[in-house]
Amino acid sequence: MSGAGGIDALDAALAGHGLCLRGWVFPDITTVAMASGGDALAICLVGHTGGGFWPVFEAWWEKHPGIADPLDTWSKTVITPLAKAAGGEAVFPSDRPWQPFQQWAMAAEGLKPSPLGMLIHPDFGLWHGYRGAILFGPEALARLKGEIAAIEETTVGPDVPHPCDACADKPCLSACPVNAFGPAGLDVLSCRAWLKTEPGRKGCRTSGCLARDACPVERGHRYDDAQIQFHMTAYS
Ligand code: B12
Ligand code: SF4
Ligand code: SF4
C-alpha cells in the first residue's frame, strides 16, 4: 500500500464515489501527439463500469438542484481535487478542445469500437464510460515511480477479446428505427429528428437507444432507467 497521495489512495478515494481508474496510457514518441496535456508522460483514465456511480451522483444532485451540467460538474468536483492530491492535472471529456478519450481508452484498455461508435468492453459491454483523465508530468512520475512501474507492467495490450468479432447477427445494427448507423458512423441528424417525434419520445428517448439495448453482451451492467433517461435527455 502506498501513502496518501499515491495511486492506491487515489483509487480508493474514487471508489468511494462509485468511480475507478480505468487504465493508463504512457505516451511515447509515437503516441505523444494524442496527449494535448503538454508534457504529460502518463495519462490515467477515470470512469465507471456499469452504473455504480449513479446513486452517489444522484445524492449529490439532490443537494444541488438547478445546477448547470450536473454530471459534468459532479465529475469535476470529485476528480479535480483527487488529481491534485496525486500530483496530476484533471481533464474532462466534456471540455473543449475535446481530448481523445476513446483513443486513450483503446490504448489503455485494449478496447475496440462497436458498430455504434461506442467502445465495447468484454466484461461490461456497452455499459461503461469515462468521467475524466489525470495527466501526470515528469515530477509526479518521479514521485510515483514505483507504483507507476508496476502499473506499466500490467497495463493491457491490444489482445483484449473484441465481443463484436463473435457476434454474427449484430442485432444492434437492425434495431434502430431510422437506420442511423452506416459506414460513416452515427447519423446524428436522423437520430435526433426521430427523438423529437411522438414514437421517438415514447421509445428511445424514454427507454434508451434501442440499438445499444439490442446488444446481448453483459446486459447485467445496463444502466437503470433514471440514468438512461438522463443521458438521452442530455444527448437530444
Ligand atoms: C462529440 C461527442 C459526441 C457527438 C458525436 C458527434 C460525431 N459524430 O462525432 C454526439 C453528441 C452525437 C455524441 C453522442 C453520444 N455519445 Co459521445 N462524445 C462526444 C465527445 C464529447 C467528443 C468526441 C470527439 O470528437 N473527440 C475528439 C477526437 C479527437 O477524439 P477520439 O477519441 O479520436 O474520438 C473518437 C470519437 O469521436 C469516435 N466517434 C466518432 N463518431 C462517434 C459517434 C458516437 C456516438 C460515439 C460514441 C463515438 C464517435 O471516433 C473518434 C475517432 O476515434 C466524447 C468525449 C471525448 N472527449 O472523447 C463523447 C463520447 C465519445 N460519447 C460517448 C457516449 C456514451 C455517447 C452517447 C451514447 C451518449 C448517450 N446518449 O448515452 C451518444 C450516442 C448517441 C446515441 N444514439 O445513443 C462516450 C463513449 C464511451 C464509450 N463506451 O466509448 C464518450 C467517450 C463520452 C464519455 N464521457 O465517456 N457524442
Ligand atoms: S450487438 Fe454484437 S456487433 Fe453490436 S455492439 Fe453488441 S456485440 Fe457488437
Ligand atoms: S437513439 Fe434511437 S434513433 Fe437514435 S441511434 Fe439509437 S435507436 Fe437509432
Side-chain angles (χ1 to χ4, degrees):
M1 285 292 290
S2 62
I7 303 301
D8 286 350
L10 172 63
D11 203 14
L14 287 169
H17 300 281
L19 297 174
C20 59
L21 297 183
R22 294 288 308 265
W24 292 78
V25 189
F26 299 96
D28 56 23
I29 199 148
T30 54
T31 57
V32 76
M34 288 162 49
S36 41
D39 60 356
L41 293 179
I43 299 163
C44 169
L45 284 170
V46 175
H48 54 95
T49 48
F53 75 97
W54 190 255
V56 184
F57 161 68
E58 272 192 323
W60 176 88
W61 194 11
E62 270 172 30
K63 292 184 194 148
H64 300 82
I67 198 161
D69 303 322
L71 185 53
D72 295 332
T73 305
W74 175 77
S75 303
K76 290 177 182 180
T77 305
V78 168
I79 298 169
T80 302
L82 296 179
K84 203 171 168 195
E89 183 203 341
V91 293
F92 297 92
S94 53
D95 284 352
R96 291 177 191 251
W98 285 323
Q99 303 283 347
F101 270 79
Q102 289 190 304
Q103 285 188 47
W104 286 345
M106 287 188 257
E109 300 179 277
L111 303 186
K112 297 186 181 69
S114 68
L116 308 183
M118 282 170 267
L119 302 177
I120 187 162
H121 193 292
D123 299 329
F124 302 98
L126 297 172
W127 306 104
H128 66 103
Y130 303 91
R131 302 278 16 119
I134 304 176
L135 310 181
F136 292 98
E139 273 178 35
L141 273 199
R143 188 170 58 78
L144 299 169
K145 207 171 159 193
E147 284 182 285
I148 296 272
I151 291 161
E152 199 161 5
E153 273 170 28
T154 58
T155 293
V156 293
D159 299 329
V160 174
H162 181 37
C164 302
D165 286 345
C167 179
D169 293 343
K170 304 213 176 336
C172 58
L173 287 178
S174 51
C176 172
V178 291
N179 291 317
F181 298 99
L186 171 65
D187 176 352
V188 181
L189 291 180
S190 298
C191 171
R192 282 193 168 135
W194 174 253
L195 295 177
K196 287 187 174 61
T197 66
E198 188 61 14
R201 265 200 300 275
K202 286 185 178 155
C204 305
R205 198 163 184 280
T206 305
S207 53
C209 173
L210 295 174
R212 190 180 194 176
D213 231 2
C215 177
V217 177
E218 297 293 340
R219 285 188 56 78
H221 295 289
R222 185 182 184 274
Y223 304 154
D224 71 18
D225 291 347
Q227 182 175 356
I228 283 179
Q229 277 164 29
F230 177 92
H231 290 309
M232 290 309 292
T233 304
Y235 160 68
S236 56

